[in-house]
Each structure stands twice: as C-alpha cells, then as structure tokens.
Amino acid sequence: MKTFCGRANPATGALDWVEESEEYDYHQEIARSCYADMLHDHDRNEKYYQGIRAAVSRVKARGEKVIVLDIGTGTGLLSMMAVTAGADYCYAVEVFKPMADAAFRIVKKNGFSDKIKIINKHSTEVTVGIDGDMETRANVLVTELFDTELIGEGALPSYEHAHLNLVQAGCEAVPHRATVYAQLVESEQLWSWAQLQPMEVDGRKLLPPPAVSHCAGAHSVCDIQLSQVPPHRFTPLGPLCTMFSVDFSKPVSSAPQSHSSSFPAQSSGRAQVVLSWWDIDMDPSGSIVCSMAPSWTYPDPQSAPWRDHWMQSVYFLPVERRVAEGEELSLTVSHDDYSLWYSLQPDSEAPPCRPCCVCQAHLVWTRTRFGELNDRQRTQSYVRALRSVIKPDSVCLGVSDGSLLPIFAHMLGAKKVLNANSMRGVQILGIRPDQLSSTDLAGEQISVLIGEPYFSTSLLPWHSLYFWYCRTALVRLLAPNATILPCSATLCMVAVEFQDLWRIRAPCGTCEGFDVGPMDEMVQQSLDFRESHEAEPQPLWEYPCRALTQPRAVMTFDFLQCVPEQPIRCQGSLPFTRRGRCHGVALWMEYQLNDDIKVSMGLTRPVSEEGACEWSLHRKQGVYFFRSPWESSGDGRASVSYSFTFEPSIGDIKMDFTVASQ
C-alpha cells in the first residue's frame, strides 16, 4: 500500500504530495522520534526508578501482590524497572505499533517476558476481565504521558479513563503528582514573537494594522529551551507562582478548569509574557522530584539536566498591560483537556475563553517569523539596501511570503510596488510569479525584484532558493539591467561539537542496566532508509555547539542569472582546527543584498577563538549528523570532506560528508 507525504518543493515553492511506500511513514516516525533523548535522560530515568521502587515497596508492605499498569511504555523500560523492583506482573500499554514491537523484543532480550505483557492499544481501549487484556485491575499506575505543556499528549483523559476502568481505588501512582509553575515577565525578545511592533523607515513610523495589534493571537504554546534565554533578556514582574497540581493517585478530571495566583508586582513594567514549567513528584512525600526548570534557576546552572523531550513553555498574554510596582495582580491559568492559556485579571472576573486569532497573521506567521519581522537591525539592513536602488520611477515586485519589504520600497519612493501588503501605493497580486503577465504590470517592466527571501513552505535553509526560480520565471518581465535584491545566496557550513543535541541521534545501548539495543537497531534501520542521508532543520540558538573547523562558504547561487539547466557541484575538505568531538555539520544560507550588505540566516557574528557560535534567532539551520562522532585533535591533520550537488530539476541540494586523517 502507498502513502502520500507532504514535501517542500523549492523549485515551485509549494508543498507537494509525494507517493511513498508504506514503509516511508513508519521510518519517518522512528527516525525523527525522541526516544533516544529520553533514554539518555539519566535524571528522568533515575527518578522514575526510585519512585517505582518506593511504590512497589509500599504495596508489598500492605501484603498485596503488585500489579502494575504502565501506560505509554515506549521501550518497556519502566515496566522492567517495576519487575526488577519486585512487581509480580506488569501490563505495558503502547499504542504506536513499531514501539510496541520494539518493547516486546527488549522485554524478551532482558528476560522479562513471563512478567510483562505488551498491549498494543490505546489505554482507553484496554479491557479488564478473564478474557480481557488485563486479568485484574492494577494497584500501581506508572505513566509517561507528558509533553512540554504537561497535558498536551492527552494525559488528563488517559488518567481519567484509567482510574475509572483500569486501576484500583487508592492505587499507587508514579509519578504521584505534577505541579505547574509560572512567572509573569516583561521581555522585548519574547514579546517580539507575539505581536508586530511599530518600526521606523527613513524617519517615518510604520504602525501595524489595528486588527493585528489588537488581536489576542494564537493560543498554542511556544515550547523552547528556556535555558538559552538568559535572565537579562527578561524582567520578572512577579514571583514564581505555583499555579496548580494534579494528584495522579486519585481520580483525575479532564474537564476545563482555571486556577489563579495573586501577588504584588515586584517592579513596574509591561506584563507581556508568562514563563512556565512543571515538575513531577515520584512519591507522595515529594522527596523524589524530577524538575523541568531552566538551568538559570539552579545554583549551579551546569548541574541542570538537559532534555529535549520536555522543555519549557512560553505563553503570551492576550494583551500587553502596564503594571506598577506593588500593584496587586492575579495571574490565571486555564486549561481544557489538551492545552493551557494564561490571563491577567481580577479574581472577581470569570476566566477568559481560549485566545483565538482573528487577524489571520498569527495563523500565517510563526513565532520566530514575528521575531524576524520585528528585528530592527535586520530591518535597517534591508532598508539601507533598498534605499541604494529605489528611484522615483522604480517598478518593484516583492517575492516573499508575508514580507514588509514592498511596504518599505513604497515608503522609500518607488513609483509602483506589487505583490505586497495592502496599503496606499502598494498593489496585491494574488497569483504566483510564474503566472504574472505584462498585463498585470500595465505594460511596464520590473526594475527592482526584491525578496528576503522567506517562504512558509521552506523547511531547510536552501529551500528559499525558490526566489531564484521566481526570478527565472519573471525574466521576460524584467527591465534591462533590473536590480535583483538579494543578488546572490551562499550556502555555508561548519563542523561542530554539540553540547547536548547529539543525544537525540546517539544510540543508547544500556539504559539503567537494561539492554535497549533493539531500540537502537530499529532507529538506525529507519535512519538508513533515507534520513541519515539528509540534513534536518534545527534552531541552533537553542542548542549550544562549538565550531571545530572554520566556517566556509561552499556554494554560491547567482540570482543575476537564471537557474541553470545542469546541476551545480562542488567538493572540498575542511580541516579540523580545534580539539573536540565532532557530531556533524551545521549548514545555513547567507544573502548578499548588494555589494556592501549581507544578511546571515546562520552565524550572526564571527566564531570565537574557543569556537563559540552565535546563531540567528529567526531561522532554522540544517544539521547533518554523522553516524558516529569523530574525535578531533585540532592539529589540522584530519578534515571533513564534503560533496554538494544542487539539482535544478527539484531545487534541492544533495550532500555527503566523510571524515578522514591525512
């Protein structure tokens, strides 16, 4: 049976539905899963093991047989911990069939098949009885159903059903409870991800449309590695508040609820953003705690455990509000069965409904896209470049999704601007560039073609080469000596050592004393299917890394010329200049706006002498992970050999890397 998969097509700027074999979707799920990250999370695993031992001991102390229900078993790790701790029997439930199969093999390999039953169902479909999936209800409930927002994977409905149908009253639960924390802050950086800010162009102020500035925005959580947002980037307006707790050992409700916390404002400022995370107590006394708090809350930030499967949450208030120091505030969190949202309001008022975007901008632009549009330094780079080419008789065409460049061109005095935002002097063309005709231009020719470039369908940095294809399609409509901005793009690379991101692709082998090799094998087989030969998008500002080579420009694409018919190839080698463990290669694009101005979608400043990298906050970079890390001595004797091929027919770049010593 075939399956249809969406795939960005840089040659058309569209999301193509490609027919793949039925194995493709399976391998995608496995290859891009974060199971390796969880297995490498020693803090999580250790705390679960301690909690399970304690729960089993409490049940045994009551003279009862220990029957465990493990919902979302994954590899079967927690069930094997339970049996090792003395459980009499475990029912391990896993809805994802590839993982259920892996769990079956792992349990068998570790010798627990007689004590653990793998059930390949959603927990709400599990039956209890003589002919059921479970012979009897469990008296220990073990789960790992959480995401960064705690409840986003349906934890509440699953617990609700389990208490009603699958576990005994008064059962032990691991974790025992979860607690959600929140802090109200002012942050120019984070708020720039929520609302379009006023900006200045050539001495004139450009204000966002009221429909956008007054919109509450999308309610979806913004999950990030908050440890990479240093405390000087925000101002706390209140203390860290305990918003609510859920006791998993008792019946749980998935009905909508609201909880409030009142406090005097610690300082005056603009209430904009709520930072939130949670922790889980593995035992009733709260002595075994697994916390998702960012590293800057620790006395020693270096001691904070790293994890990518659970991060921290950023929520944006529906409207910015000025508060005064000492003012009594009430922060309210509301939730349904899958999501949370925050508001700042008096206790006497009813909790607000879930925020909903009515301006459409929050549905079209991502959080980081808002941040990119609000980046003043970036805006000034484009304005300076436009100012150097815009003339009173300029006819400009903008080719980028949701771009402000055409508005800037109009404000700088262009005669006509097309395919841009709605304002006086700017005309919107609701057609693709390759469909544009001389009639649409009223017989005039394009003298300035402008793009950032940015396209919402782009996943990897070089997918924005769609701009080049648009330029090629418009060749007959371009005036002689027309200005193309940007005039070229360059693909850059650097070999890196990741501080932590390597864990998402590294095999685990043994986890807490259990052999999880079958899981490693399954992931590698899926990577070999296709994924190991491709780069993947990652926001590297969230994942610290160190450059082990010098950055290098490896391919340049000349936008002054049309897309060639033949492939463009390049190869070479990049010597290691720093000592470290190389996990792979980071890739990004840089755009030359004119002879003097360049904007980078990757490194935003030169690599430091120690190899520290500072990455763009707005775009994702490409990461090509090596199958095995390479130990670099930094003496230049070893190097990364690379080979790139740009295929004009598909608009994509094929790449290959090898590491070797001289």
Side-chain angles (χ1 to χ4, degrees):
M1 189 176 79
K2 300 287 186 178
T3 184
F4 286 94
C5 300
R7 185 174 300 164
N9 185 337
T12 64
L15 186 67
D16 290 348
W17 290 98
V18 181
E19 190 177 65
E20 296 278 5
S21 66
E22 62 180 325
E23 293 86 7
Y24 179 78
D25 199 38
Y26 162 90
H27 288 294
Q28 278 269 313
E29 286 284 337
I30 296 297
R32 294 295 190 228
S33 70
C34 57
Y35 290 108
D37 170 34
M38 289 188 282
L39 293 175
H40 283 290
D41 187 348
H42 175 68
D43 178 73
R44 162 195 177 272
N45 300 336
E46 183 181 46
K47 299 295 176 54
Y48 260 103
Y49 211 166
Q50 292 173 0
I52 288 170
R53 288 194 191 101
V56 170
S57 295
R58 290 194 296 274
V59 174
K60 283 188 171 294
R62 299 198 293 263
E64 302 174 19
K65 290 184 64 175
V66 180
I67 307 299
V68 176
L69 172 61
D70 174 9
I71 300 179
T73 193
T75 59
L77 176 66
L78 303 185
S79 287
M80 293 189 294
M81 288 179 176
V83 172
T84 304
D88 294 282
Y89 201 79
C90 290
Y91 296 101
V93 181
E94 175 58 52
V95 68
F96 186 37
K97 190 175 190 310
M99 279 311 309
D101 294 342
F104 181 85
R105 294 196 299 273
I106 291 170
V107 165
K108 182 178 181 180
K109 188 166 188 176
N110 286 273
F112 294 109
S113 295
D114 60 330
K115 291 289 188 78
I116 299 174
K117 179 182 179 180
I118 307 297
I119 303 172
N120 180 207
K121 287 184 176 182
H122 193 283
S123 63
T124 57
E125 299 173 344
V126 172
T127 57
V128 179
I130 296 177
D131 298 322
D133 301 303
M134 301 170 58
E135 290 186 8
T136 183
R137 289 184 177 229
N139 52 15
V140 176
L141 176 59
V142 176
T143 60
E144 208 284 51
L145 298 170
F146 315 116
D147 67 348
T148 294
E149 203 174 14
L150 182 67
I151 65 172
E153 291 186 2
L156 295 181
S158 295
Y159 272 111
E160 186 174 45
H161 176 270
H163 276 286
L164 287 172
N165 301 281
L166 305 177
V167 298
Q168 301 173 16
C171 72
E172 300 288 343
V174 182
H176 181 82
R177 79 175 64 83
T179 303
V180 173
Y181 303 92
Q183 186 169 38
L184 181 68
V185 305
E186 174 183 356
S187 173
E188 182 178 356
Q189 175 188 328
L190 298 178
W191 187 243
S192 74
W193 296 349
Q195 294 290 353
L196 197 60
Q197 305 298 313
M199 57 190 71
E200 194 169 290
V201 179
D202 222 28
R204 298 164 61 189
K205 181 161 284 191
L206 178 63
L207 300 175
V212 176
S213 58
H214 296 159
C215 180
H219 81 280
S220 57
V221 64
C222 177
D223 53 340
I224 63 171
Q225 291 284 357
L226 201 52
S227 296
Q228 300 309 313
V229 179
H232 71 263
R233 293 290 184 91
F234 60 87
T235 302
L237 300 180
L240 183 64
C241 301
T242 301
M243 299 307 299
F244 68 94
S245 294
V246 182
D247 186 337
F248 297 127
S249 69
K250 299 176 181 178
V252 172
S253 173
S254 61
Q257 297 182 32
S258 294
H259 310 270
S260 296
S261 180
S262 299
F263 53 87
Q266 291 181 347
S267 59
S268 299
R270 295 172 298 165
Q272 300 168 326
V273 176
V274 175
L275 310 181
S276 181
W277 57 87
W278 48 269
D279 63 28
I280 44 179
D281 295 328
M282 297 298 184
D283 66 326
S285 68
S287 59
I288 308 170
V289 183
C290 186
S291 174
M292 306 310 122
S295 63
W296 37 258
T297 65
Y298 285 69
D300 175 16
Q302 298 300 318
S303 67
W306 183 88
R307 45 179 69 98
D308 203 47
H309 53 104
W310 296 330
M311 295 187 282
Q312 295 79 37
S313 300
V314 174
Y315 298 90
F316 304 98
L317 293 180
V319 62
E320 180 184 59
R321 172 183 156 187
R322 288 200 169 273
V323 299
E325 183 177 358
E327 179 183 350
E328 195 67 24
L329 302 176
S330 180
L331 182 64
T332 298
V333 60
S334 304
H335 71 80
D336 51 23
D337 47 353
Y338 283 94
S339 60
L340 283 70
W341 59 95
Y342 283 83
S343 58
L344 197 62
Q345 60 183 61
D347 289 330
S348 57
E349 292 186 9
C353 297
R354 183 168 59 185
C356 178
C357 174
V358 294
C359 72
Q360 305 303 311
H362 298 88
L363 304 179
V364 175
W365 290 334
T366 63
R367 303 291 191 193
T368 51
R369 179 59 172 163
F370 269 99
E372 187 170 50
L373 294 173
N374 286 322
D375 186 326
R376 297 186 187 92
Q377 183 176 346
R378 174 184 177 277
T379 294
Q380 289 309 310
S381 293
Y382 281 98
V383 169
R384 283 191 292 116
L386 285 169
R387 188 185 295 119
S388 69
V389 300
I390 296 295
K391 299 178 176 60
D393 62 349
S394 293
V395 176
C396 302
L397 176 67
V399 179
S400 278
D401 289 349
S403 178
L404 301 179
L405 297 192
I407 297 180
F408 299 163
H410 169 70
M411 296 177 73
L412 292 169
K415 171 186 174 182
K416 180 183 286 188
V417 183
L418 304 106
N419 198 24
N421 299 67
S422 178
M423 65 176 290
R424 187 175 180 182
V426 179
Q427 180 183 349
I428 297 176
L429 298 175
I431 56 177
R432 295 164 53 88
D434 57 359
Q435 298 172 328
L436 197 65
S437 69
S438 179
T439 303
D440 298 306
L441 301 176
E444 297 186 280
Q445 290 185 302
I446 300 165
S447 57
V448 182
L449 179 64
I450 55 179
E452 302 182 33
Y454 171 84
F455 304 101
S456 58
T457 55
S458 298
L459 300 177
L460 289 161
W462 45 93
H463 288 172
S464 289
L465 288 175
Y466 174 56
F467 177 80
W468 199 11
Y469 288 85
C470 293
R471 176 257 184 270
T472 302
L474 294 166
V475 64
R476 295 182 180 179
L477 301 178
L478 295 176
N481 301 316
T483 297
I484 312 297
L485 190 157
C487 58
S488 66
T490 301
L491 176 66
C492 304
M493 66 169 277
V494 65
V496 296
E497 174 185 52
F498 285 109
Q499 180 176 302
D500 296 296
L501 190 62
W502 60 270
R503 302 172 196 270
I504 70 171
R505 292 289 170 264
C508 188
T510 300
C511 180
E512 307 303 321
F514 302 99
D515 185 347
V516 293
M519 178 66 196
D520 294 336
E521 295 167 6
M522 183 174 69
V523 170
Q524 191 56 57
Q525 287 172 4
S526 292
L527 286 170
D528 289 342
F529 182 77
R530 179 176 295 169
E531 297 298 319
S532 62
H533 305 296
E534 298 179 352
E536 60 184 78
Q538 294 287 353
L540 291 185
W541 74 268
E542 294 187 59
Y543 303 107
C545 62
R546 194 167 63 90
L548 300 182
T549 66
Q550 295 302 317
R552 176 173 292 182
V554 291
M555 294 188 88
T556 296
F557 308 92
D558 185 0
F559 294 164
L560 300 182
Q561 306 297 322
C562 291
V563 176
E565 294 182 359
Q566 299 302 315
I568 301 175
R569 295 184 174 88
C570 79
Q571 57 185 23
S573 62
L574 197 53
F576 287 106
T577 55
R578 296 182 183 88
R579 183 185 299 273
R581 172 172 283 196
C582 183
H583 297 110
V585 170
L587 303 127
W588 69 98
M589 298 293 280
E590 294 182 352
Y591 295 98
Q592 197 73 40
L593 303 187
N594 58 24
D595 292 341
D596 304 314
I597 302 173
K598 179 173 66 177
V599 292
S600 173
M601 305 302 168
L603 288 174
T604 56
R605 62 178 56 189
V607 173
S608 74
E609 187 175 337
E610 295 77 21
C613 301
E614 188 169 310
W615 300 96
S616 167
L617 300 177
H618 312 313
R619 300 282 182 106
K620 291 183 179 182
Q621 293 71 45
V623 176
Y624 187 106
F625 285 101
F626 295 158
R627 177 170 293 190
S628 301
W630 177 271
E631 298 292 342
S632 165
S633 60
D635 57 7
R637 295 182 181 180
S639 61
V640 180
S641 296
Y642 57 84
S643 173
F644 293 93
T645 301
F646 171 69
E647 297 283 358
S649 61
I650 60 173
D652 211 350
I653 297 176
K654 302 300 182 183
M655 61 192 69
D656 191 34
F657 302 92
T658 57
V659 181
S661 299
Q662 292 181 355

